[in-house]
Amino acid sequence: MTTPPLAPPSVPQVHGAIARTDSEDRLVAADEPLLGLQLRCGGDVPGAIAIPALREAVGKARALGLRIARPIIAQDGAESVTAWVEIEPAVDGCQIELRHWRSRPLPVEDEAAIARRKLAVERQIAELHARLDARQNVLYAAAESTELAALAARMDSARGRPWTDFVSIPGSAHQQPLHWRLLDGAPVAVEGSARPWRATLVPVGLPGSEPAGFELYLGSDLPAASQSEANPVAAQIRARMIGREVAPVLRQPIARIIANAETIRSRLAGPLSEEYSAYAADIATAGQHLLALIDDLTDLEVVEADDFSTAPDRIDLAEVARQAAGILGVKARERGIVIDAPRPGESLPAVAEFRRVLQVLLNLVGNALRYAPEGSQIWIRLEDEAGLARVIVADQGPGLDPAQQRKVFEKFERLGRSGDGGSGLGLYISRRLARAMGGDLTVDSAPGQGARFVLTVPGDLPVSR
Amino acid sequence: MLGEEPIARTRAMVASLTVELLRPLGEPEVAVWNDALGAALIDTAGLVDHVHALAVEGQVLARLAERGIDPLLPPLVQDRISASDPQLAGLAMTLMAAQTRFVRRHQRMELAAADLPADLFGAAISTLARRTADAGAEAVAAWRAGFDERRGRLGLLAQLGLGLGDDFAAALDPAQAGFSLFVTAVSLLTGQDRDEVLLAAASGRPLRLALLLAAAGLEPAAREAVILCLQPEASPPPHWFLVDSHQAAELLAQGQGG
């Protein structure tokens, strides 16, 4: 025999290693050798099951409510493991018993296969993808996470420039872009993101000939801070009930609902009649609203906490405003609305926390986008007066009468609106944030005249113009 | 393999499954729901494929029996039954009983719900629940509670296979292990679906079988012997046996992807 079909067990024959999972299929207790395999596969106890075949079997047993017994095959990087697993579903999780545990060394994979798999992984985790021409100039860029949305918007709005103009490549003083083989796999730093990124370049065209262009992927080995992706403030919450207990539990199933609904909507899994695709779109939208509501509730908890404080820094309000406009640019284009943001070169120094100012501006511009008529304009203007720095967001929406202006910053105030996905918390939270930074958030408006929301924060006097 | 006989058998087996699932509702109800449930089961994803594979397995067992390979008590199982470890002997006895029932059912063109893999059993029960609504609620709950994949024939085969330890090589010889255990063993070693292995081993696809055997780690000479045992009409050219285990596994993986 070239290889023994199943080598003698590398651990003594185990009779009935026991493990337990909870109601979310997380492994809460496990005997060896399962424990070791779970850890080598990158999992933890307690933690999500990191062994794909076992996770699938446990998920099935729980979903079907059936006793399942089958062989599973798993790999931990060095060894291939076969085991017999019996799963007994119960109300609060599953009881797992493993027997006939055998392992044998994995065959060495050839390089092409490894390269293919690595590429598949990079594509899967990429948060930004772009198409480049033969000289590595950007033809198109799109982000799949809010963290890189601003970068993608910058790249996409300056098509024809090399992608390396938009990021920095640490440790390289060379004139960029270098030959693509040197840049493939290179570490990349992205402005406004603390995570380390990695570029993957895939040549397009016939193998062996000069590439006709490239696919560019930016991915990171570090996960996005789970809450900062949707909401910068939420990431700072640690010791609070909604933020710590409720939101994480809700977020995952809702995200799954959205992802599946999007799959159906985009007909990824096969053709489907228009009606059903539209239903799926409704489901996805409703899911998005739920997620936004969770974010708002999480923030509410933060801003209302006694120990709430901000971490002010010297920032440029013009830059924050441009970022907010960039992030919401796609949504604005969808509604045919033009966001008139401060021009590049304009600047207004202030002392405030960058992420929170961005959050307030995203809320203000987002509201304007929601209520302004299609084809209208939203202005973001800067003012510098008596040591105070102001950002003004003005729209051409229906405006607010004096009574509404008094109520609009109140908690859960919807001004009689419903069904648009708002929680009535955004402006309340934004004002709390502004005041915590030593500033304020006010509105002046008249019915039919649009609304002007004014965010004031302390100016940065010493370097003021 | 898509001959008339396996297709006719597949139909009959699904029909028997329909009646079996409905029986707890009481005889009058069987007639009420029979046609609708039968049609729905035919449409249940994966079920017909699996039943078809079982029909083919039954056929192969019968064919091999004519050539002296015992479908019920092959030498390897016999050996386990007389083992000193009572647990092992018990398992082998249970398997023999299950295998006997399977062959008997095959002759009568029947299929036992309890022998289905959990996924397909779950799908069939969901179909039953959807079709019969309130009338079948009690039966559906009873079916679910009573199901235990461990006790199904396929579960027993896999347990016995995994428990063979150093004797695993013997399971790769259909004359020693019997066809059913042989198929399970190849599936365990290659990670390929058992039904896929079964169809490749049954007939008409000797090249695929050769690759599976190579991927399972069998020596070239042994591969050829197995192919000639299972598919005497095949005349495999010598170069089929040049691939090594890793190459074969890769080819199989590619074939799956494409």
Side-chain angles (χ1 to χ4, degrees):
Chain A
M1 293 226 163
T2 46
T3 48
L6 280 175
S10 65
V11 283
Q13 177 75 40
V14 181
H15 275 284
I18 304 287
R20 261 186 324 108
T21 57
D22 67 10
S23 53
E24 288 157 56
D25 294 347
R26 292 181 321 160
L27 205 55
V28 289
D31 290 349
E32 286 292 358
L34 179 63
L35 175 62
L37 183 63
Q38 162 84 356
L39 298 178
R40 287 196 300 280
C41 284
D44 213 339
V45 177
I49 304 174
I51 304 149
L54 183 61
R55 188 163 66 196
E56 188 193 330
V58 168
K60 244 175 213 164
R62 204 177 40 77
L64 299 173
L66 294 176
R67 276 184 287 276
I68 281 189
R70 56 184 52 178
I72 59 163
I73 300 176
Q75 300 180 345
D76 67 359
E79 288 186 323
S80 171
V81 170
T82 316
W84 175 256
V85 51
E86 298 176 354
I87 304 163
E88 173 104 36
V91 189
D92 54 349
C94 294
Q95 182 84 22
I96 302 173
E97 190 170 345
L98 282 113
R99 281 184 286 127
H100 304 305
W101 181 280
R102 281 160 199 288
S103 56
R104 57 171 172 167
L106 276 178
V108 181
E109 257 186 304
D110 77 289
E111 277 180 40
I114 294 174
R116 269 200 305 279
R117 203 184 51 237
K118 271 180 73 177
L119 178 57
V121 171
E122 291 295 347
R123 283 186 168 141
Q124 190 65 39
I125 65 167
E127 291 177 32
L128 179 145
H129 71 272
R131 178 59 206 260
L132 311 177
D133 68 13
R135 300 170 64 182
Q136 298 189 37
N137 297 322
V138 176
L139 297 175
Y140 159 84
E144 272 134 59
S145 72
T146 44
E147 196 169 345
L148 295 187
L151 173 64
R154 284 202 299 278
M155 287 171 98
D156 207 45
S157 62
R159 294 178 181 183
R161 280 171 57 194
W163 68 276
T164 44
D165 284 6
F166 303 92
V167 296
S168 51
I169 297 174
S172 173
H174 294 283
Q175 171 77 30
Q176 297 287 359
L178 291 170
H179 188 273
W180 69 273
R181 282 187 195 281
L182 298 174
L183 289 171
D184 183 28
V188 166
V190 175
E191 195 189 321
S193 166
R195 292 157 72 199
W197 297 90
R198 180 178 52 244
T200 301
L201 281 162
V202 186
V204 178
L206 286 175
S209 60
E210 274 297 298
F214 300 91
E215 293 167 52
L216 168 71
Y217 298 95
L218 287 190
S220 179
D221 287 337
L222 294 187
S226 60
Q227 305 182 330
S228 71
E229 195 178 1
N231 190 320
V233 170
Q236 302 185 340
I237 305 163
R238 288 293 176 268
R240 300 172 228 278
M241 207 273 289
I242 293 180
R244 200 181 53 182
E245 311 281 347
V246 181
V249 181
L250 289 179
R251 220 177 278 276
Q252 195 193 7
I254 297 176
R256 197 175 304 155
I257 291 171
I258 296 173
N260 286 335
E262 283 292 340
T263 307
I264 301 173
R265 185 192 61 78
S266 57
R267 301 182 174 92
L268 279 180
L272 196 66
S273 81
E274 190 65 41
E275 263 173 288
Y276 287 103
S277 171
Y279 294 152
D282 290 346
I283 295 173
T285 314
Q288 303 278 14
H289 288 168
L290 268 178
L291 270 190
L293 180 62
I294 293 172
D295 288 338
D296 282 353
L297 288 172
T298 317
D299 286 351
L300 182 68
E301 211 174 31
V302 177
V303 298
E304 290 192 334
D306 296 336
D307 58 348
F308 174 60
S309 66
T310 63
D313 204 352
R314 290 183 167 175
I315 62 166
D316 178 5
L317 282 185
E319 178 56 31
V320 189
R322 281 191 290 269
Q323 281 216 12
I327 291 171
L328 292 171
V330 176
K331 211 183 240 173
R333 276 198 291 280
E334 274 172 10
R335 300 211 56 218
I337 294 176
V338 176
I339 303 180
D340 184 7
R343 307 262 171 274
E346 240 178 288
S347 93
L348 178 55
V351 176
E353 189 172 336
F354 182 91
R355 303 198 302 177
R356 290 191 163 143
V357 174
L358 180 63
Q359 186 188 2
V360 173
L361 288 183
L362 285 176
N363 180 248
L364 295 180
V365 179
N367 277 346
L369 282 174
R370 197 177 289 157
Y371 301 120
E374 288 199 16
S376 66
Q377 218 170 354
I378 295 170
W379 294 272
I380 310 180
R381 291 279 176 269
L382 306 171
E383 275 182 20
D384 178 11
E385 191 192 311
L388 291 176
R390 288 203 186 101
V391 192
I392 297 149
V393 177
D395 65 46
Q396 297 177 308
L400 303 167
D401 64 33
Q404 287 176 321
Q405 291 175 34
R406 275 194 299 279
K407 285 197 299 184
V408 73
F409 291 105
E410 280 170 23
K411 209 196 299 191
F412 298 111
E413 182 52 57
R414 309 287 325 282
L415 295 181
R417 296 182 180 107
S418 62
D420 56 6
S423 64
L425 287 171
L427 285 173
Y428 172 79
I429 292 169
S430 293
R431 174 175 267 183
R432 296 284 295 228
L433 287 173
R435 291 184 175 170
M437 290 186 287
D440 203 355
L441 178 63
T442 55
V443 64
D444 56 88
S445 168
Q449 302 286 309
R452 274 166 45 93
F453 283 88
V454 183
L455 170 68
T456 314
V457 292
D460 189 6
L461 283 174
V463 289
S464 188
R465 289 161 297 174
Chain B
M1 241 178 325
L2 286 174
E4 280 178 34
E5 189 189 329
I7 291 180
R9 282 185 180 279
T10 303
R11 272 180 186 286
M13 286 159 84
V14 173
S16 89
L17 178 67
T18 311
V19 174
E20 189 192 356
L21 291 178
L22 286 171
R23 196 160 292 137
L25 276 72
E27 280 310 320
E29 299 289 311
V30 174
V32 175
W33 303 104
N34 194 21
D35 291 352
L37 181 62
L41 285 176
I42 293 270
D43 284 337
T44 301
L47 185 65
V48 169
D49 290 346
H50 178 66
V51 174
H52 172 246
L54 292 180
V56 170
E57 182 173 358
Q59 256 189 319
V60 175
L61 287 174
R63 203 171 67 208
L64 291 177
E66 288 166 14
R67 298 214 314 271
I69 298 179
D70 192 335
L72 308 177
L73 206 55
L76 190 62
V77 179
Q78 237 174 71
D79 184 58
R80 298 294 122 165
I81 288 180
S82 55
S84 52
D85 177 351
Q87 221 183 338
L88 194 54
L91 178 64
M93 281 294 281
T94 318
L95 172 63
M96 188 200 66
Q99 190 74 3
T100 310
R101 284 196 299 273
F102 173 76
V103 169
R104 183 73 192 109
R105 288 202 186 98
H106 173 78
Q107 291 162 350
R108 301 173 51 169
M109 299 200 199
E110 289 175 1
L111 169 74
D115 272 348
L116 288 173
D119 322 48
L120 292 177
F121 180 82
I125 293 300
S126 305
T127 306
L128 174 68
R130 265 202 314 281
R131 284 288 151 182
T132 58
D134 292 345
E138 223 171 282
V140 165
W143 273 118
R144 276 193 209 281
F147 181 80
D148 189 344
E149 203 177 23
R150 275 179 303 184
R151 293 202 295 262
R153 185 181 69 103
L154 298 176
L156 293 168
L157 282 166
Q159 281 177 83
L160 190 80
L162 285 167
L164 284 173
D166 296 341
D167 291 340
F168 209 104
L172 293 177
D173 179 357
Q176 287 292 310
F179 182 67
S180 299
L181 184 54
F182 162 80
V183 171
T184 293
V186 174
S187 155
L188 285 175
L189 282 171
T190 58
Q192 299 279 317
D193 185 61
R194 186 179 186 275
D195 289 346
E196 284 294 314
V197 176
L198 201 160
L199 293 180
S203 68
R205 291 151 88 189
L207 175 57
R208 193 165 178 84
L209 177 57
L211 288 176
L212 284 165
L213 294 171
L218 217 52
E219 287 274 16
R223 296 180 213 162
E224 193 166 4
V226 169
I227 292 179
L228 291 177
C229 167
L230 294 176
Q231 305 184 14
E233 69 287 354
S235 48
H239 67 259
W240 280 14
F241 302 102
L242 294 179
V243 288
D244 69 27
S245 161
H246 301 159
Q247 289 168 326
E250 221 163 83
L251 284 169
L252 287 168
Q254 281 172 16
Q256 237 173 15

